[in-house]
Amino acid sequence: MLRLGNPRRRISIGLIGMTFVLSILAGRLVQLQGLDSKVYEARAAQQRVQPEVLPARRGSITDVNGHELAVTVEAREVSADPALISAEKRAQVAATLAKELGRPQEQIAAKLAMTGTRYQLIAKDVDPVVAERVLDHEFPGVTSKPQYRRLYPGDDLAGSLIGFVGFDGDGLAGLERKYDKVLAGRDGKQSIEIGRDGKRIPMTRDTRQAPVPGREVRLTIDRDIQWAAQRAIAQEVAKTGARSGSAIVMDVRTGHILAMANAPELNLNAWQEAAPEDRINRAAAEVFEPGSTNKVITAAAALEAGAVTPGTVFRVKDNIRCADQVLRDAHPHEPENLTFSGIVATSSNVGTIMAAQKVGDEKLYNMLKAFGFGSKPGSGLETEEAGLLPSWSQWSGSQSCTVAYGQGVSVTALQMASVYQTIANGGVRVAPQIVAGVADEETKKIVPSPPGKRTRVISATTAKQIAGMLEAAVGAEGTGNLAAIEGYRVAGKTGTAMRYDEKCQGYCGYTATFVGFTPADAPRLVALAVIQDPQKGHYGGQIAAPVFRDVMTFALKSRKIPPTGTTPPPVRIRAGE
Amino acid sequence: MTAILAAPLRAARRRMDWPLLSAVTALSLIGLLLVWSATRPRLLAAGEDPQTYVKRQLANVLVGLAVLTAVALADHGTLRAWTPPAYVASCLGLAAVLTPLGKTVNGSRSWIGVGPLDVQPSELAKVALVLGLATLLGDRPGGERAPRGAQVALALAATAAPLGLIMLQPDLGTAVIMVVTAFGMLVVAGVRWRWLALLVAAGAAAAASAWFLGLLRPHQVQRLLTFADPMADPQGAGYNAVQALVTVGSGGLGGHGLFRGDQTGGRFVPEQHTDFVFTVAGEELGFAGAALVLLLLWWVLWRALGIASRAVTPYGTLAAAGIVCWFAAQTFVNVGMTIGLAPVVGVPLPFVSYGGSSVVACMAAAGVLISVHRQTARRL
């Protein structure tokens, strides 16, 4: 046997050395994979796991019959990673995408040719069915991402009432904003594992928390009545060259708002293009001095206080001195003997002031307050305003007279509609309601909103007496005869108020109003029409009453409310000399 | 005909080193799985056959096993006879790499295209160097205990030629392996400690001057600096080291399961089927799998050391010992760089990493081991 510099010893040293080195490697592995593996695992996850939000589908806003007023549809965004599409296949991919998506082929080909980029948007708002068909071709690098889009099938139907959502799908205005939490639902979460190239790692474990879709919000609005109200007010605003107008239809017994229309109205599918003031729901948010429609409150105060009866006769001149001012009726006339009913029916300012003076400021103020002036109606609309009702102790000398006929005090159309609902409902105010119910998260069935708060404001007798006066106001001798509807007994009141205008720092122009209810003897519906700053004609009886008539006629038919078939009792307007 | 061949084949089978062959086969099979897992995600994403690489590696392994068998059945005479041509051929190959025939991959000009194949002559040069040095240093006409000075000088010259060519590619990793292999063979050959100490001093001086005279390429300097502090630039120079560490560490004790490693699936580790294949084992098979790979490699080395110590000729001892040094160094550097114990220099893991040249070279070396083993067994 040959000996090689004592090789055996050198080899056994080698074996020991090797074992030592390998045990260092093994020791290091124990450290990495045994002791510190959690640290490395966390580090690995951190660079790999990408949390992704799964957007919840927003709930619909529907009308009282479930017709969709605002709806969320799914659309897809188709995009491509040009780096993953080979040059030979590019033309074929572009041709197929162009055909499926209906876009110019050259444009798509140009995008696919940008191989230096990893993302090219090919098409947005793609129908999911089409997107699926595109994906079925299984082109590498072509992907689609779901996105939601809010659509408003009625365009401007109840536009400013419903409101709109922003780019990120959050409610920005109107009911979209007010009910954002309910409508939005809860977004889900998903963490997907992303490789170094930014693409999803195949076969990785996903954690997924499904989104909870938003809930349907059902309104008390009736799509058809809303449409009729909107058309009528828009036509009248256009005809009279007015600045704006609103119309409201309410259910007397429930306080449900069946229509709340504004003109001009906001087209929700293009809300960005609308002027900021046209995005406001004027019917609930615009404050104005109501004028003669306010006389019913003065009448209520006087009747409740026992200061007058409907038959109480007043000797009414066409002007009256009140503190430092002389206040006049709308038209000059010889002094005449009017019953209190006659004063309301013919809308005499002077007569109303005389009645108010019998009641006193404090009682008048309390009555205004009881009818909801100076406080928000509680309809559930975020933008509803409370109006302006200064305390009686701060009224100026003339203000205590003007408040009686609706100047020097401000309200919204919704507040005024609520006043007439109260009278129509036998003196019981039911808080106006706009949301009929919200869908249950599980069953999707609509859970009705609790009924509006009921408050007795005046006695049933007073309410009935005022209803009689209002019916006379629509009669042949009243100011509101254009509001008459054939076959129905209509009660209502005109209003022609001087309009305060910030631009001219005083009263410029008019506010024309008509508000009333039908049938007068068994009221079911309240309707109001208000026209701001009309240029052609300005009397409420002349321009607002026809809107009321059209809208109310439509609503009565739509709700299948029959005439009562009764005859109105005769109302004495004038007393003999 | 079959009857005539049957007896020698039976004898050949008896004299095979079955434990060694089993370990090599096991490592190759594990390698196939790891290569499969490492390459599948990219191929899937590109819409190609996810088994492209694993099929090629299977071909590599089969060719390698054929080479192994051929070499194992050759006796020392045949091996010696083939050594000078193999040595010359590999030097020519290394030179060819530097000509326009060569291909540059990842900054190293290490490949030449031969028909449809890419051959890496530096891998084959390792086998040639081991056999060449064994021939030179094992020549003991007078039964000397140590090689003569001329032999050592010749051996150093024989090492310097391929080493220089490899440094020109540049391929620092292979160069390191070659230096360690040659030095180990000098130690086993019985060269005096004094001479060895002198060699180490000369090597250290050469390394120091290379460093201070700026002979190293910037990326090599960067790698060595990165090794000192991989977290200094985890997205840049330290990226490979950090990702490898994270990938191995996240595997834990049991691993995530084959094909289920998320780091591997996300292709965070570059060159994962070749130089960083150990990270796949670390992540997907965990400590259990990684330790098994190490144990199998240790098993190969232990068998090889046994063969070296039992060899009846200095040639056999030196060849086997050279292969041990080669495999041991390469294993340490490869595994070490994936777990932060060695700088990132590109060397494959013997038998496991993807690559035809590497697999065939390692198989040929295993064939040499078995050939030496058979020679010993025949004598006994």
Side-chain angles (χ1 to χ4, degrees):
Chain A
M1 186 96 84
L2 280 164
R3 288 179 161 234
L4 243 165
N6 201 359
R8 294 205 178 234
R9 209 185 63 198
R10 290 190 177 183
I11 281 168
S12 49
I13 289 169
L15 184 63
I16 292 166
M18 252 170 33
T19 310
F20 176 69
V21 164
L22 272 179
S23 58
I24 288 177
L25 294 180
R28 174 71 170 162
L29 281 180
V30 169
Q31 184 202 353
L32 287 178
Q33 301 187 300
L35 306 175
D36 294 343
S37 80
K38 288 278 169 285
V39 177
Y40 289 106
E41 211 160 347
R43 225 187 119 90
Q46 185 209 334
Q47 69 176 0
R48 202 174 59 224
V49 175
Q50 186 167 306
E52 194 182 35
V53 173
L54 299 174
R57 181 194 280 262
R58 194 174 174 85
S60 298
I61 298 177
T62 54
D63 90 336
V64 70
N65 296 314
H67 298 298
E68 278 162 339
L69 302 175
V71 61
T72 287
V73 295
E74 196 188 326
R76 297 283 185 91
E77 197 180 274
V78 175
S79 60
D81 178 351
L84 291 181
I85 300 168
S86 62
E88 312 90 70
K89 283 184 101 181
R90 200 177 297 147
Q92 187 212 333
V93 174
T96 314
L97 290 182
K99 201 181 91 203
E100 297 283 15
L101 300 170
R103 319 248 154 164
Q105 186 177 338
E106 312 81 65
Q107 191 193 327
I108 294 176
K111 283 180 174 174
L112 297 184
M114 290 192 250
T115 47
T117 62
R118 300 302 307 263
Y119 175 86
Q120 285 293 328
L121 178 64
I122 304 294
K124 274 180 104 165
D125 293 336
V126 177
D127 187 307
V129 178
V130 175
E132 281 305 321
R133 231 170 30 223
V134 168
L135 291 188
D136 282 346
H137 289 287
E138 292 184 346
F139 295 129
V142 176
T143 51
S144 99
K145 197 170 79 178
Q147 46 168 202
Y148 284 124
R149 218 150 65 91
R150 193 70 162 164
L151 287 182
Y152 301 93
D155 286 323
D156 66 350
L157 193 72
S160 56
L161 168 67
I162 291 168
F164 46 84
V165 298
F167 182 72
D168 53 3
D170 291 341
L172 291 187
L175 292 169
E176 290 275 33
R177 180 183 154 112
K178 166 89 180 175
Y179 285 86
D180 194 42
K181 275 219 174 91
V182 175
L183 289 165
R186 283 193 303 279
D187 286 348
K189 270 187 300 196
Q190 164 169 284
S191 47
I192 53 169
E193 306 209 348
I194 301 291
R196 195 185 171 197
D197 53 3
K199 291 188 79 75
R200 208 173 143 186
I201 304 174
M203 314 268 297
T204 44
R205 299 170 294 275
D206 290 350
T207 53
R208 191 172 189 278
Q209 188 190 336
V212 179
R215 292 189 274 160
E216 177 187 341
V217 171
R218 183 161 294 188
L219 306 186
T220 57
I221 295 290
D222 181 309
R223 186 180 67 173
D224 298 338
I225 300 174
Q226 174 73 26
W227 186 82
Q230 206 161 312
R231 192 183 57 161
I233 194 69
Q235 278 175 354
E236 196 67 20
V237 164
K239 202 167 94 186
T240 58
R243 185 170 299 189
S244 65
S246 298
I248 294 172
V249 180
M250 267 172 93
D251 186 300
V252 166
R253 297 169 191 175
T254 60
H256 285 177
I257 297 166
L258 305 178
M260 187 178 251
N262 296 294
E265 188 51 280
L266 174 64
N267 179 357
L268 295 175
N269 291 320
W271 61 268
Q272 296 92 335
E273 292 159 26
E277 65 267 26
D278 289 339
R279 297 178 189 171
I280 296 164
N281 181 7
R282 290 189 166 90
E286 191 172 76
V287 165
F288 56 92
E289 294 184 35
S292 304
T293 53
N294 210 39
K295 284 171 184 163
V296 294
I297 299 176
T298 310
L303 290 167
E304 289 277 289
V308 297
T309 66
T312 306
V313 178
F314 288 84
R315 177 83 183 157
V316 183
K317 294 195 288 179
D318 65 355
N319 68 81
I320 188 167
R321 169 161 285 279
C322 206
D324 55 337
Q325 285 184 20
V326 176
L327 302 168
R328 295 170 195 285
D329 274 337
H331 306 282
H333 60 84
E334 290 300 308
E336 54 187 342
N337 293 335
L338 289 174
T339 60
F340 187 59
S341 295
I343 285 169
V344 174
T346 61
S347 200
S348 165
N349 293 342
V350 175
T352 308
I353 292 166
M354 292 165 79
Q357 282 169 343
K358 288 189 163 199
V359 179
D361 290 354
E362 187 177 355
K363 279 185 180 161
L364 180 58
Y365 170 82
N366 286 340
M367 188 53 79
L368 289 162
K369 215 167 141 57
F371 269 104
F373 280 33
S375 48
K376 295 193 174 188
S379 64
L381 286 168
E382 202 172 32
T383 52
E384 67 177 14
E385 287 291 337
L388 285 169
L389 176 65
S391 173
W392 66 276
S393 55
Q394 287 157 15
W395 288 354
S396 69
S398 61
Q399 199 172 11
S400 55
C401 298
T402 59
V403 165
Y405 62 87
Q407 301 273 182
V409 59
S410 301
V411 292
T412 64
L414 181 58
Q415 281 178 306
M416 191 47 81
S418 172
V419 169
Y420 282 75
Q421 178 276 326
T422 307
I423 293 163
N425 196 34
V428 176
R429 178 177 190 273
V430 182
Q433 207 164 49
I434 195 77
V435 172
V438 170
D440 182 81
E441 203 169 285
E442 303 288 307
T443 63
K444 312 283 176 217
K445 286 209 179 95
I446 301 291
V447 179
S449 306
K453 195 180 157 215
R454 298 171 70 85
T455 322
R456 178 160 289 282
V457 178
I458 50 174
S459 69
T461 315
T462 305
K464 189 122 193 112
Q465 287 171 340
I466 295 172
M469 298 173 193
L470 293 176
E471 198 172 1
V474 184
E477 285 188 83
T479 52
N481 51 35
L482 288 180
I485 298 167
E486 205 180 320
Y488 286 90
R489 288 175 61 180
V490 178
K493 184 75 196 77
T494 57
T496 307
M498 289 186 296
R499 185 171 179 275
Y500 182 84
D501 195 325
E502 276 182 15
K503 272 191 198 140
C504 72
Q505 295 285 307
Y507 290 98
C508 312
Y510 297 90
T511 299
T513 317
F514 191 93
V515 51
F517 48 85
T518 319
D521 53 332
R524 296 286 302 279
L525 299 176
V526 176
L528 173 147
V530 58
I531 293 157
Q532 301 289 355
D533 198 17
Q535 303 302 311
K536 290 177 203 151
H538 64 265
Y539 290 109
Q542 177 196 359
I543 62 174
V547 177
F548 168 91
R549 183 194 58 217
D550 292 351
V551 173
M552 184 59 98
T553 305
F554 184 92
L556 288 166
K557 275 187 202 152
S558 177
R559 303 285 281 189
K560 301 192 172 62
I561 296 169
T564 45
T566 52
T567 322
V571 175
R572 211 165 126 249
I573 303 260
R574 282 163 225 283
E577 293 301 315
Chain B
M1 209 42 193
T2 27
I4 299 168
L5 276 175
L9 270 178
R10 240 193 331 271
R13 209 185 305 148
R14 251 199 321 273
R15 287 188 219 114
M16 272 284 169
D17 188 337
W18 292 112
L20 177 67
L21 198 58
S22 314
V24 166
T25 312
L27 282 168
S28 301
L29 290 177
I30 292 173
L32 280 173
L33 291 175
L34 299 181
V35 165
W36 191 2
S37 179
T39 54
R40 207 176 62 119
R42 187 180 67 213
L43 294 166
L44 276 177
E48 289 170 33
D49 176 10
Q51 282 136 32
T52 308
Y53 278 84
V54 75
K55 283 175 184 164
R56 282 193 216 154
Q57 178 73 346
L58 183 62
N60 293 338
V61 168
L62 292 176
V63 170
L65 284 172
V67 171
L68 182 149
T69 311
V71 175
L73 292 176
D75 57 20
H76 279 15
T78 319
L79 283 184
R80 274 181 203 248
W82 279 96
T83 298
Y87 178 81
V88 172
S90 59
C91 283
L92 286 177
L94 286 172
V97 163
L98 302 171
T99 69
L101 289 172
K103 277 190 177 176
T104 302
V105 178
N106 293 335
S108 286
R109 202 174 175 88
S110 305
W111 280 264
I112 43 172
V114 179
L117 300 170
D118 284 343
V119 177
Q120 200 178 358
S122 55
E123 290 297 328
L124 304 170
K126 291 173 191 166
V127 192
L129 181 68
V130 166
L131 293 180
L133 291 184
T135 310
L136 289 173
L137 296 170
D139 192 22
R140 309 286 164 84
E144 297 91 343
R145 291 187 63 171
R148 280 164 290 128
Q151 277 177 291
V152 174
L154 210 54
L156 289 176
T159 310
L163 189 62
L165 289 167
I166 284 167
M167 291 294 268
L168 287 175
Q169 291 183 358
D171 183 352
L172 195 59
T174 307
V176 168
I177 304 301
M178 280 196 163
V179 167
V180 170
T181 304
F183 186 76
M185 289 180 77
L186 289 174
V187 171
V188 174
V191 174
R192 288 203 206 155
W193 289 114
R194 239 176 302 165
W195 293 6
L196 293 174
L198 206 64
L199 261 180
V200 170
S209 51
W211 179 267
F212 289 111
L213 296 176
L215 293 181
L216 287 175
R217 303 285 172 97
H219 79 267
Q220 295 171 328
V221 175
Q222 190 62 259
R223 276 180 183 174
L224 295 173
L225 289 176
T226 300
F227 172 59
D229 183 12
M231 293 300 176
D233 185 11
Q235 289 302 317
Y239 182 82
N240 290 24
V242 170
Q243 289 299 336
L245 206 59
V246 167
T247 303
V248 172
S250 68
L253 292 177
H256 293 297
L258 195 66
F259 302 129
R260 297 177 65 176
D262 297 337
Q263 289 289 107
T264 299
R267 287 130 62 195
F268 286 95
V269 184
E271 294 301 320
Q272 208 181 5
H273 60 302
T274 58
D275 295 348
F276 284 94
V277 75
F278 191 72
T279 60
V280 185
E283 188 191 21
E284 302 195 338
L285 309 177
F287 177 75
L292 176 67
V293 170
L294 286 182
L295 206 64
L296 285 169
L297 284 163
W298 181 84
W299 177 265
V300 169
L301 293 172
W302 179 65
R303 293 299 303 183
L305 269 176
I307 289 167
S309 71
R310 284 192 303 273
V312 287
T313 62
Y315 177 83
T317 300
L318 284 168
I323 290 166
V324 168
C325 292
W326 160 17
F327 284 0
Q330 204 164 309
T331 301
F332 178 77
V333 171
N334 179 280
V335 175
M337 74 184 185
T338 67
I339 58 179
L341 289 180
V344 175
V345 290
V347 297
L349 188 61
F351 302 105
V352 184
S353 282
Y354 175 84
S357 304
S358 167
V359 166
V360 169
C362 291
M363 290 290 195
V368 171
L369 289 173
I370 293 169
S371 166
V372 174
H373 172 76
R374 290 181 60 242
Q375 200 89 357
T376 312
R378 201 181 299 155
R379 288 280 182 89
L380 289 176

